[in-house]
Amino acid sequence: MQQSLLGLLLALLCAAGASASSAANQLSLPSYHYAAPISVECMNRSSETGEHIENPDSHEIEWIPFPVCDETKKPLEFNYGLEGEVNCTIPMVSDPFFHLLEFYIHSDAPLSCRLPSRPPPQLEVLGEKPAAQEYIPLVFALAGTLQSSHMHISTHMNVLLHSTPKHHIHPHDSGVLDSGIAYSTSPLSHMEGSWTRKLIIGDPLPLSFSVRWFPTPALPKTEGKVEWQGIGGHIYTSTVFYSLVSFLAGACVSGVYFLGIVLPSRLKGRALGGATPLGHGLNGIGNGWGIPMAKRNVD
Ligand SMILES: *[C@@H]1O[C@H](CO)[C@@H](O)[C@H](O)[C@H]1NC(C)=O
Ligand SMILES: *[C@@H]1O[C@H](CO)[C@@H](O)[C@H](O)[C@H]1NC(C)=O
């Protein structure tokens, strides 16, 4: 009896120990500090077919750095948690790169890139295999139109990046990448001064990115409520509830107002020519509130 109890206790301790050690493994993996650079790498593709290029031996996809930006003289980078505008001018669109842009714009091949979800480990625990680097996909949905000799390309892109959820202690806390997407804005606008650019081989390609970060994989919430900062401002789920309540309350008040004040004065007004604020005679069909005829006899 005592032995089996001891066995159970041991089993529980072991289970607890095992889960603690796997949690410790997760904890020992590094996180990005606020503003840490995260470099973008993309699939190398054939400019003839748009197909991705594989290492002939391992058949692994070949990832190459994003083209070098004239502003930084480095391939494109984002900074963990840092929001704002990032410019990256590719100084000269070469012939093969121009053909790749045609594939991207036709979506024959996406501009498929990736970001390391965590920074590389700095310390290696002796005798332990370092954890494999994990990446999140980042597709640049580049939009534009193709003409025979040139293309129009929407050079302004929004970049949305999500962190994995965690309890954030500081406003500029560290974290791990969860997911992301980048897309050209206003692809149909060809107006002067917009972000659409006419491009021929040899031109520079001035890309600009508006980067925003989300602290979790979820879309923005305020005080636990889903928030859509859409056309017309913020809409909260609670707003919808309050709107409904105030609509009903409003309907009640209006009904009381109508039955208690408008209707009696209309009844009196009938003798005086029937002019009422609502402009409907009592013999008219609708009163705007759908109050049944029977109820009109109140008073
Ligand atoms: C991409 O692949 C092509 C074809 O194999 C190769 O010529 C080119 O050097 C590669 N690009 C980079 C940046 O490694
Ligand atoms: C990015 O480029 C635009 C257009 O050339 C310029 O107006 C803007 O100031 C630049 N922004 C940054 C952050 O460099």
Side-chain angles (χ1 to χ4, degrees):
M1 188 64 196
Q2 260 184 349
Q3 263 177 352
S4 65
L5 205 67
L6 202 67
L8 185 70
L9 204 67
L10 256 172
L12 282 173
L13 276 174
C14 290
S19 71
S21 99
S22 81
N25 270 352
Q26 278 293 306
L27 278 179
S28 68
L29 292 175
S31 310
Y32 286 114
H33 290 293
Y34 182 74
I38 305 170
S39 49
V40 183
E41 46 184 48
C42 304
M43 271 182 197
N44 191 7
R45 291 190 181 275
S46 154
S47 62
E48 266 132 57
T49 63
E51 279 171 52
H52 64 256
I53 286 161
E54 280 181 10
N55 179 313
D57 303 323
S58 62
H59 294 288
E60 278 176 6
I61 287 169
E62 194 178 298
W63 295 92
I64 56 170
F66 195 93
V68 170
C69 312
D70 210 19
E71 288 82 356
T72 56
K73 312 288 178 212
K74 280 197 293 186
L76 180 65
E77 287 180 347
F78 298 118
N79 295 88
Y80 184 80
L82 213 61
E83 299 200 313
E85 310 307 302
V86 174
N87 286 343
C88 175
T89 304
I90 298 167
M92 198 204 83
V93 173
S94 62
D95 187 77
F97 189 57
F98 190 88
H99 292 301
L100 283 176
L101 287 173
E102 291 179 321
F103 285 117
Y104 302 148
I105 283 170
H106 262 182
S107 296
D108 295 324
L111 176 45
S112 318
C113 303
R114 65 178 188 177
L115 304 173
S117 62
R118 299 167 178 275
Q122 268 154 2
L123 291 176
E124 275 175 26
V125 181
L126 268 182
E128 261 186 48
K129 211 163 70 94
Q133 180 65 266
E134 289 181 314
Y135 295 88
I136 62 151
L138 181 67
V139 172
F140 290 77
L142 202 61
T145 49
L146 303 182
Q147 251 91 60
S148 53
S149 64
H150 64 273
M151 67 172 81
H152 291 274
I153 189 159
S154 294
T155 55
H156 177 257
M157 305 193 92
N158 287 342
V159 183
L160 310 184
L161 297 167
H162 292 266
S163 299
T164 56
K166 81 166 217 180
H167 179 64
H168 286 83
I169 304 163
H170 317 292
H172 289 170
D173 214 342
S174 59
V176 176
L177 283 180
D178 178 90
S179 44
I181 185 70
Y183 53 93
S184 284
T185 58
S186 311
L188 304 180
S189 168
H190 288 227
M191 285 185 306
E192 204 57 43
S194 73
W195 294 102
T196 304
R197 181 80 175 209
K198 184 182 169 184
L199 198 76
I200 56 166
I201 295 169
D203 276 353
L205 175 58
L207 296 173
S208 67
F209 302 95
S210 293
V211 184
R212 298 295 180 271
W213 285 85
F214 301 101
T216 70
L219 288 168
K221 289 182 182 185
T222 302
E223 290 158 27
K225 299 178 202 80
V226 175
E227 177 189 351
W228 178 57
Q229 206 169 346
I231 293 158
H234 298 218
I235 291 190
Y236 303 90
T237 45
S238 61
T239 311
V240 175
F241 175 73
Y242 286 130
S243 311
L244 201 66
V245 168
S246 52
F247 170 76
L248 290 175
C252 288
V253 169
S254 312
V256 168
Y257 172 76
F258 183 82
L259 292 173
I261 298 164
V262 179
L263 196 60
S265 68
R266 276 190 194 179
L267 289 172
K268 279 179 219 137
R270 191 153 51 160
L272 301 168
T276 67
L278 291 173
H280 295 287
L282 268 181
N283 46 355
I285 308 293
N287 54 30
W289 289 102
I291 295 164
M293 291 307 280
K295 289 235 175 114
R296 292 186 172 184
N297 298 330
V298 185
D299 198 9

